[in-house]
Amino acid sequence: MRKRPALWFLMGAVACSAVASEGIDRLTQLHFTQAFGTPFVWFGAISIGAMVAAILLTQVTDGTGMRGLAVLQVGAAVSAFVLAASGWFWPAAVASVLLSAVRDAARPTMITWITERTEPGSRATVFSFLGQVDAAGEMAGGPPLGLTAERYGIRVALGAAAGALAGGVPLLGLAASKSESASVRQAATE
């Protein structure tokens, strides 16, 4: 990790996503039932749509590396904001499908990028640290988002989650630039 600054920026972006994830996971269905009176059967349809979209997005982002991950993060932030702000069911449902899909597609893209840029001897440690950052972010973000939902409403909490997701975008941009400059230096020395 000390040799690869891009990994530090990636971990910061993972922390931002983790802060948002607990609120999104716990509040989305509640938002649909309270705001739109959504029947439970729609949650299955939204989940199926998200799985299909995630498969397609994973294929599109395969091999795009950190730039693709940054695009997915932008998509997640925009989708979370639309989900929070929409007063109509259909835009919120589409946003929910896209939000789930980009979050699911981001994981294999990130895992591939880490695998390609870490030595076999330290790879397990990096993945372990990644898991710890994710868990710490969820613990740090879940209670404040829940309290925000309780005091100010679910839409405000989902909007705050969208802001946390947006906070990861510049970190992924920095990780991409550090990764590219490291690749250029490595190619120059070979």
Side-chain angles (χ1 to χ4, degrees):
M1 291 279 296
R2 280 179 258 144
K3 297 177 188 176
R4 307 220 191 288
L7 282 173
W8 285 107
F9 290 120
L10 175 63
M11 295 300 169
V14 166
C16 289
S17 294
V19 164
S21 75
E22 196 66 20
I24 290 168
D25 292 343
R26 303 293 173 248
L27 298 173
T28 298
Q29 290 182 350
L30 185 60
H31 174 59
F32 274 104
T33 56
Q34 287 185 357
F36 309 115
T38 305
F40 289 116
V41 70
W42 278 104
F43 296 127
I46 288 170
S47 293
I48 291 168
M51 284 188 272
V52 171
I55 291 167
L56 296 172
L57 279 173
T58 302
Q59 294 302 313
V60 169
T61 59
D62 183 36
T64 59
M66 200 53 63
R67 297 253 183 241
L69 204 53
V71 170
L72 289 172
Q73 188 82 359
V74 169
V78 169
S79 297
F81 178 75
V82 170
L83 175 63
S86 180
W88 296 291
F89 171 78
W90 287 108
V94 170
S96 180
V97 166
L98 292 175
L99 179 58
S100 292
V102 296
R103 290 172 68 205
D104 289 345
R107 185 104 180 131
T109 303
M110 178 177 54
I111 298 299
T112 301
W113 185 87
I114 291 172
T115 301
E116 291 173 348
R117 285 168 178 74
T118 55
E119 295 83 25
S122 64
R123 192 170 297 139
T125 304
V126 171
F127 282 124
S128 176
F129 188 63
L130 176 74
Q132 291 173 20
V133 168
D134 187 54
E138 286 184 16
M139 288 189 314
L145 288 175
L147 186 60
T148 300
E150 185 179 342
R151 293 212 176 158
Y152 304 106
I154 294 171
R155 289 181 191 273
V156 174
L158 287 172
L165 288 168
V169 174
L171 294 172
L172 289 171
L174 289 167
S177 68
K178 292 290 184 186
S179 175
E180 287 172 2
S181 63
S183 295
V184 169
R185 280 194 306 272
Q186 184 178 5
T189 58
E190 292 178 350

